[in-house]
Amino acid sequence: MSDRRTGILKAATRVIARRGVRGLRMGELATEAGVSTSLIYYHFTDRAGILRETLEFISDRADHYTAEPDPSEQASTPRADLERVLLLELQDTAEVRENSTAWGELRATAVFETELRDDLARTTHTWVHDIAELLARANPTGTAPAHAAAAERLTALIEGLSVRWLSGSLPLDHARLLLRDAIDAELARC
């Protein structure tokens, strides 16, 4: 992906996180990205195109920050890998806050803007599949359908906890504790 496209997608994520999808204006996005409005339309065709590609950008960025193991960690277990990946979705960094806020905005927008639904469903399916694989490694005696169902519940829980944390109705430490408890419950259930 070109540096210009990446810059526009980073700017779109910032604007969506700051103003919401409904507040996304191409002029403001162009200013934020330091490009012309016509360049945005050249790269993304229309508003729906920028939303679809921003969704993919956010997903890829989350894959990046959840895939990076802590260099101070010793050899980890599959269970520890699962917990680490899930808990990295709930960390108080600017990138995670921005990503989580923009993801929530795009998910909520898909309720009303149906052209986002397929892309959102595909991205969500990939996330659920990745978590199901981690669950299978952490509990190899479980079945694939049980791992998939547990992954659906855990990813949905992360989205809900994230919204509550970001909106100020749940402290981050408590959200992380609830997620750890849910991981234990799901592994026992599989």
Side-chain angles (χ1 to χ4, degrees):
M1 182 178 306
S2 76
D3 289 342
R4 287 269 190 195
R5 284 178 68 83
T6 301
I8 294 167
L9 292 170
K10 285 179 180 179
T13 303
R14 285 192 305 272
V15 172
I16 291 169
R18 187 173 59 237
R19 300 182 46 79
V21 172
R22 291 181 185 209
L24 178 65
R25 303 288 179 260
M26 290 304 124
E28 182 181 357
L29 175 56
T31 300
E32 183 83 20
V35 299
S36 68
T37 304
S38 60
L39 187 62
I40 293 171
Y41 286 112
Y42 170 79
H43 282 293
F44 302 100
T45 308
D46 57 14
R47 186 173 187 276
I50 190 75
L51 293 177
R52 278 192 306 276
E53 292 208 35
T54 301
L55 177 66
E56 185 176 327
F57 173 79
I58 290 167
S59 179
D60 290 346
R61 193 161 76 165
D63 286 346
H64 178 74
Y65 64 70
T66 59
E68 293 178 1
D70 184 344
S72 67
E73 284 183 20
Q74 296 173 347
S76 65
T77 65
R79 197 274 180 220
D81 288 342
L82 171 67
E83 183 174 296
R84 180 187 55 77
V85 166
L86 292 174
L87 287 172
L88 285 172
E89 295 283 357
L90 296 172
Q91 54 178 321
D92 196 8
T93 66
E95 183 178 51
V96 172
R97 281 179 165 274
E98 184 178 274
N99 237 43
S100 295
T101 301
W103 174 266
E105 276 293 314
L106 288 161
R107 180 167 297 288
T109 299
V111 171
F112 304 102
E113 295 186 27
T114 57
E115 64 272 1
L116 274 178
R117 290 181 184 174
D118 288 342
D119 295 303
L120 185 63
R122 189 173 31 265
T123 303
T124 301
H125 174 76
T126 300
W127 184 27
V128 169
H129 176 74
D130 292 347
I131 299 305
E133 286 183 350
L134 289 171
L135 283 160
R137 282 188 237 142
N139 183 351
T141 61
T143 66
H147 294 138
E152 286 280 2
R153 288 187 292 270
L154 287 170
T155 56
L157 176 64
I158 289 169
E159 288 178 332
L161 291 171
S162 181
V163 168
R164 289 187 181 189
W165 159 55
L166 291 167
S167 66
S169 58
L170 185 68
L172 180 59
D173 290 343
H174 189 63
R176 292 172 65 88
L177 176 64
L178 292 171
L179 181 56
R180 279 190 182 98
D181 289 348
I183 293 167
D184 290 339
E186 292 297 345
L187 285 171
R189 187 177 189 176
C190 286

